[in-house]
Amino acid sequence: MSIYEGDGVIEGKIVKISGPVVVAEGMKGAKMYEVVKVGDTQLIGEIIGLEEDLATMQVYEETAGLKIGEKVIATGRPLSVKLGPGLIKNIYDGVQRPLRVMKDEQGSFILRGVSVKELPEKSWEFVPRVKAGAAVEPGMVLGTVKESEVVEHRILVPPNVSGELKDIVSKGTYDIEDDIATVKTADGDVGLKMYHAWPVREPRPYVKKHPSTIPLITGQRVLDTFFPIAKGGTAGIPGGFGTGKTVTQHQLAKWADAEIVVYVGCGERGNEMTQVLKEFPELLDPRTGKPITERTVLIANTSNMPVAAREASIYTGVTIAEYFRDMGYNVALMADSTSRWAEALREISGRLEEMPGEAGFPAYLASKLSGFYERSGRVDTLANDTGSLSIIGAVSPPGGDFSEPVTQNTLRVVKVFWALDKKLKDQRHFPSINWLTSYSLYLDEIEDWWKDNVSEKWKMRRDEAMSILQEENELQEIVQLIGPDALPERQRVTLLCAQMIREDFLQQNAFHDVDSFCSENKQVAMLKSILDFYDTALKLIDAGVSVAEIREMPTVQKIGRLKYVSEKELESYIKGLTDEMYDEYDRLARSYAG
Amino acid sequence: MSDVQKEYSSIREVSGPIIIVDGVEGVGYSEVVEVTLPDGTKRRGQVLEVDRDVAVIQVFEGTSGTTTEGTSVRFTGHTLKLPVSEDMLGRVFNGMGEPIDDGPDIIPDKEMDINGLPINPSAREYPREFIQTGLSAIDGMNTLVRGQKLPIFSGSGLPHNEIAAQITRQTKVLTGEEFGIVFVAMGITYGEANFFTENFRKSGALEKVVMFLNLADDPAIERIITPRVALTAAEYLAFEKDMHLLVILTDMTNYCEALREISAAREEVPGRRGYPGYMYTDLASIYERAGRIEDREGSITQMPILTMPDDDMNHPIPDLSGYITEGQIIVSRELNRKNIYPPIDVSPSLSRLMKDGIGEGLTREDHDGLQNQLFGAYAKGKEMRDLVAVVGEDALSDLDKQYLHFAEEFESNFIRQKRDEDRSIEETLDLGWKMLGMLPEEELKRIDQKYIEKYYPKEQSE
Ligand SMILES: Nc1ncnc2c1ncn2[C@@H]1O[C@H](COP(=O)(O)OP(=O)(O)OP(=O)(O)O)[C@@H](O)[C@H]1O
Ligand SMILES: [Mg+2]
């Protein structure tokens, strides 16, 4: 028995073509989600509806030129991804076709009807972990392959195979297509290679989900300190065009402390993927010191690539991500943009003439969205390890209006909401995440982690900073009416500090060498400096010093420069800043006491 | 094609730009059809859907005069193709890509499918060569780079055509290679098209320009094809003939109207304001046909122009465009009222590819800090303007007043320029520093100290 080939071969004939949706007759016996080869050019498609002998299919390639009467072959396999060494550093289209291989074979433009191997035809050094005779459990680690400078690829028994290990190869170099082990199963012997296939629409199994108690550290202050996401958690980042979704997602892909990153460019710009390809190899992971590409898998189904493959890209990405989770890794998946995926659903649904729901989206939009985010989590794997999959989805609401269905249905399932704000963007306040409307439901769960690992007072300071910002918001309304000079001095100090929190802490330039990434320690130190200054300033006010004088204190400037101070110099800089602040305090307080 | 081309006269229905034909055989999706009217005139169309023996066809030149009886339809067996050649330079074509000037026949080098093929993202080269348009509002504040798609969002009655024309006249790269221009008119008036032709003629650029004209009185449905035809020519010239091209598409709003018309005729579920739900994907299939490709010399830079209905940036046309393009240049009614040309509002404008296209070796070392500071100071100045409206100028501090003054000067000296004034990037940046000279040095927090020392005007002008 082989798990590597499909069995059925059903052949039908095209009777209808409407964009990416094609209907064929004579398809009795075909199964839902089965892969089909459509037409004389053998375009790849998937069955999405069956009725008597008619099969409705979505085609993952451009259908122009396809004719009525051309044949359709059902392959007997569901739409699957190949999971094995060679995924890392790769860039795939929405149905796991390696784009670099396609470029080498056909040139700069994507042609149709090509079949390319998903995993590179390459040999790997395999190190077995188990011996012949062992009991084989689904998901068990058979051995390892050093896939990249930082990733040890654990070769897993497919989740649907179990039995007894009949034989396994010894340590050595093997081709990706070589059999490396044989398992005696209830249905006969099964040969295993270093990879296996898994249907993209079926979540990979695990033993148990856990609550998330460890933050996914992103190096972005507004995220880590204000609205953190947990490892295994979910976040939605909605915003109108140009508000910073992609930059934020890129920042996460670069700096998040995940062992594996899967980045899905879903219906967005070609140049943004190029940017990732050019930029990532040059960036070093602050934790491993190795290029961040060494842990990254890219899926690129850009806006001008076929719309049905865009729908599939999200599933291709999440299945690859789950696979690495099953090896016991912390995986983070970014999807930019889930709205484009939802629009692909809508377009297909419209072609199927299904009953449209709100804004024309199909009624199953909500369940599809939650089904996607449900695939996140921190889990006990089948191999008795712990792994996590965090999912961060960008949402592109029409007109930037969050009341639309994709945003609303996303908010119903995700636990973190990073609300991008056009007004902040227009002021070039980046990341333009609105601190009053965003939220994280993980604050309490991960507080202990911060206490144990970074700072006792993380949550306390965060809450204090939040309340200063909230107070600022209320004071602003008064200022609008009567001007800032009319406020009492204490409140003007609050405004000053709120401004410092916004400009010197929340604003973070993704394109600045130093500021792009900010460690947990530095985040704590920065916020502490601002809040200490606030206390000092309030005392000075009580001593009779004016806001104008406080504003002139060199400490204000120094705090402003803090974000550009490298981690190395941080300690001495902070010390200098603090000493100077208290000297200034003494000087000013004394001059008023006299 | 080995298939015998069959002619059918079994027209079941005519509805708006759509006709439905019964009893057809072996029809291909997207195939080109030739429709012959009872009076013998021929029109072209394309298959939108086939269901067994029924084909739904959109007719580019419209269906007026079409009847269910006496009209016949011939299926050509191929999708829409454009014959291309280098000789297209300097020529004028209609919206379907047929020559309409008096020039000689074009002898095609080859035929290319007008829908093009998606560029493999891994084959793209990231755009980063600075393009000098000679306009400070763009070069200084929202820099354009070669291979970018940067639309102009405007409103009716605003001088977007003048801006586009000035850009086409002045555009150059510092390395000296020349630009060819592909000019694509969709539903604009004869007068507007003529304005551009005259502009090209006067600047002596005509032989570097390829024009595709679908004017206001040309068939609306043809507009669906026009940008695709033009971009096919552009791709040929850029990626096979090594040319650098600037493609001006105007007016994308008219294109989207045509798209809406087809969608309505097909009785599709309408999306926002009646535009089809797939408009994002459709627009992307146009805008993404820009860029640079590894190992190819040429490039396509797109500058689509669209007039925002009611000046509303949230309208689906600018909104979806903004989601696809790499920034936007906003033409402001308010600045126009103040008689500032070009009335480009730099605050909501953005060039997303700017950061990689400026700086040492590309424009100048101080560019990034300078534009950042100018941006911040202008924003602050405008804030003061709003405050003055509430509390009066007397309530402002001296510093606040300096900002107020800065905003005025920035608009009338930096943004404003003459219609034939072609500023070099050096001039633009120096002018920027002159503007900053109006503010105290301590205020320049966004610029590196070393550039302040080097460029900040020594004697402060009060
Ligand atoms: N953290 C940041 N630091 C500096 N600049 C930023 C930051 N975030 C966003 N920007 C600026 O905003 C621009 C737009 O950001 P981005 O491309 O992420 O928007 P988007 O929300 O993905 O838009 P779209 O929906 O159109 O794709 C960037 O090109 C950059 O100039
Ligand atoms: Mg984006």
Side-chain angles (χ1 to χ4, degrees), chain A residues 70-89:
Chain A
E70 287 185 18
K71 68 171 188 272
V72 172
I73 302 166
T75 61
R77 300 179 278 110
L79 183 70
S80 308
V81 285
K82 298 262 166 66
L83 301 166
L87 290 167
I88 298 289
K89 290 199 264 191

Side-chain angles (χ1 to χ4, degrees), chain A residues 18-214:
Chain A
S18 170
V21 172
V22 172
V23 180
E25 64 183 10
M27 300 290 286
K28 214 176 202 93
K31 294 185 287 288
M32 273 302 269
Y33 308 121
E34 189 170 337
V35 172
V36 284
K37 301 266 163 93
V38 180
D40 298 345
T41 44
Q42 304 235 319
L43 308 177
I44 310 170
E46 180 188 6
I47 296 180
I48 53 170
L50 285 167
E51 208 187 320
E52 298 186 355
D53 79 328
L54 290 180
T56 303
M57 302 157 287
Q58 57 178 349
V59 179
Y60 295 126
E61 301 179 77
E62 174 57 53
T63 52
L66 206 61
K67 286 194 165 66
I68 298 293
E70 287 185 18
K71 68 171 188 272
V72 172
I73 302 166
T75 61
R77 300 179 278 110
L79 183 70
S80 308
V81 285
K82 298 262 166 66
L83 301 166
L87 290 167
I88 298 289
K89 290 199 264 191
N90 223 319
I91 174 166
Y92 290 112
D93 78 352
V95 288
Q96 210 200 3
R97 290 184 301 181
L99 288 167
R100 285 204 199 86
V101 177
M102 289 167 73
K103 175 179 74 178
D104 292 343
E105 290 183 2
Q106 345 165 308
S108 313
F109 294 87
I110 298 176
L111 306 180
R112 295 189 292 169
V114 282
S115 81
V116 271
K117 281 254 184 323
E118 293 87 345
L119 295 171
E121 296 178 288
K122 187 176 157 178
S123 307
W124 300 92
E125 164 108 353
F126 174 76
V127 184
R129 262 207 199 165
V130 285
K131 294 208 172 73
V136 173
E137 306 274 347
M140 185 173 101
V141 180
L142 282 176
T144 59
V145 160
K146 192 159 166 42
E147 185 177 4
S148 79
E149 284 202 57
V150 295
V151 177
E152 177 192 75
H153 196 110
R154 297 171 188 152
I155 307 295
L156 303 179
V157 172
N160 47 9
V161 172
S162 62
E164 188 194 312
L165 194 60
K166 204 166 151 190
D167 54 56
I168 184 163
V169 294
S170 52
K171 180 176 168 182
T173 305
Y174 299 94
D175 190 83
I176 189 82
E177 289 294 342
D178 288 342
D179 277 348
I180 51 147
T182 316
V183 181
K184 207 162 116 190
T185 72
D187 305 323
D189 286 357
V190 171
L192 295 182
K193 304 178 197 288
M194 279 182 276
Y195 72 90
H196 65 265
W198 189 260
V200 296
R201 299 191 191 277
E202 196 177 312
R204 286 175 64 90
Y206 51 84
V207 177
K208 190 168 161 247
K209 260 193 202 180
H210 291 286
S212 316
T213 53
I214 307 171

Side-chain angles (χ1 to χ4, degrees), chain A residues 508-535:
Chain A
Q508 188 170 357
N509 185 348
F511 308 115
H512 189 280
D513 287 344
V514 175
D515 199 25
S516 185
F517 171 80
C518 185
S519 72
E520 302 93 293
N521 279 322
K522 187 171 168 187
Q523 298 189 28
V524 166
M526 287 175 74
L527 196 57
K528 178 173 185 299
S529 301
I530 298 173
L531 295 176
D532 286 352
F533 174 78
Y534 184 44
D535 284 344

Side-chain angles (χ1 to χ4, degrees), chain A residues 15-20 25 54 62-69 91 98-100 102-103 106-112 239-243 245-247 266-275 277-278 300-307 310 340 343 346-347 350-351 353-354 356 359-360 395-400 422 425-428 430 479-485 507 509 511 557 561, chain B residues 1 3 25-31 48-53 77-79 113 115 117-127 141-142 147-149 153 235 239 266 268-272 277-278 280-281 284-285 288-294 296 313-314 318-326 328 346-350 352-353 355-356 371-372 375 387 390-391 395 442 444-447 449:
Chain A
V15 295
K16 178 175 175 178
I17 311 158
S18 170
E25 64 183 10
L54 290 180
E62 174 57 53
T63 52
L66 206 61
K67 286 194 165 66
I68 298 293
I91 174 166
L99 288 167
R100 285 204 199 86
M102 289 167 73
K103 175 179 74 178
Q106 345 165 308
S108 313
F109 294 87
I110 298 176
L111 306 180
R112 295 189 292 169
F241 69 79
T243 49
K245 297 178 292 296
T246 304
V247 172
C266 174
E268 292 288 315
R269 302 172 184 82
N271 278 334
E272 289 172 349
M273 296 314 292
T274 313
Q275 188 186 4
L277 289 175
K278 297 270 138 80
N301 211 98
T302 54
S303 57
N304 56 338
M305 285 159 76
V307 74
R310 187 199 296 173
R340 305 306 167 215
E343 284 163 12
R346 176 171 68 188
E347 186 171 340
R351 304 266 186 184
E353 291 172 16
E354 291 172 340
V395 185
S396 317
K422 186 170 175 304
K425 175 213 95 176
D426 284 344
Q427 297 160 9
R428 303 280 208 267
F430 290 121
V479 172
Q480 300 288 315
L481 294 174
I482 55 172
D485 295 346
Q507 286 188 12
N509 185 348
F511 308 115
Q557 289 266 350
R561 298 242 163 233
Chain B
M1 280 291 131
D3 304 39
E25 251 174 65
V27 166
Y29 177 65
S30 258
E31 181 175 344
L48 286 181
E49 184 177 315
V50 262
D51 189 351
R52 291 181 192 267
D53 63 345
H78 59 78
T79 51
D113 192 309
N115 289 309
L117 290 165
I119 300 176
N120 185 324
S122 73
R124 280 182 186 267
E125 186 70 64
Y126 196 65
M141 306 298 289
N142 296 287
Q148 184 171 9
K149 38 189 181 293
F153 286 8
E235 279 169 351
F239 300 133
R266 295 191 66 190
E268 290 170 341
V269 182
R272 274 175 83 215
Y278 49 79
Y280 172 85
T281 303
S285 73
E288 276 290 314
R289 292 173 79 174
R292 299 226 52 180
I293 297 181
E294 287 173 353
R296 312 260 173 134
M313 231 212 281
N314 288 331
D319 188 50
L320 293 178
S321 296
Y323 270 123
I324 305 165
T325 55
E326 288 146 348
Q328 64 281 333
V346 296
S347 312
S349 298
L350 173 72
R352 302 199 194 187
L353 302 186
K355 57 186 181 294
D356 295 306
Q371 65 88 18
N372 203 335
F375 184 90
L387 203 60
V390 183
V391 297
E442 313 81 74
L444 311 188
K445 291 183 186 137
R446 301 190 186 187
I447 311 185
Q449 196 55 38

Side-chain angles (χ1 to χ4, degrees), chain B residues 299-355:
Chain B
S299 63
I300 297 179
T301 307
Q302 273 191 29
M303 191 165 264
I305 299 173
L306 57 89
T307 45
M308 299 183 276
D310 294 327
D311 292 352
D312 175 9
M313 231 212 281
N314 288 331
H315 184 281
I317 298 172
D319 188 50
L320 293 178
S321 296
Y323 270 123
I324 305 165
T325 55
E326 288 146 348
Q328 64 281 333
I329 301 291
I330 309 275
V331 182
S332 141
R333 205 167 287 282
E334 194 188 320
L335 286 178
N336 192 52
R337 251 185 235 126
K338 284 186 169 175
N339 246 324
I340 294 188
Y341 174 90
I344 294 174
D345 188 351
V346 296
S347 312
S349 298
L350 173 72
S351 163
R352 302 199 194 187
L353 302 186
M354 172 171 187
K355 57 186 181 294

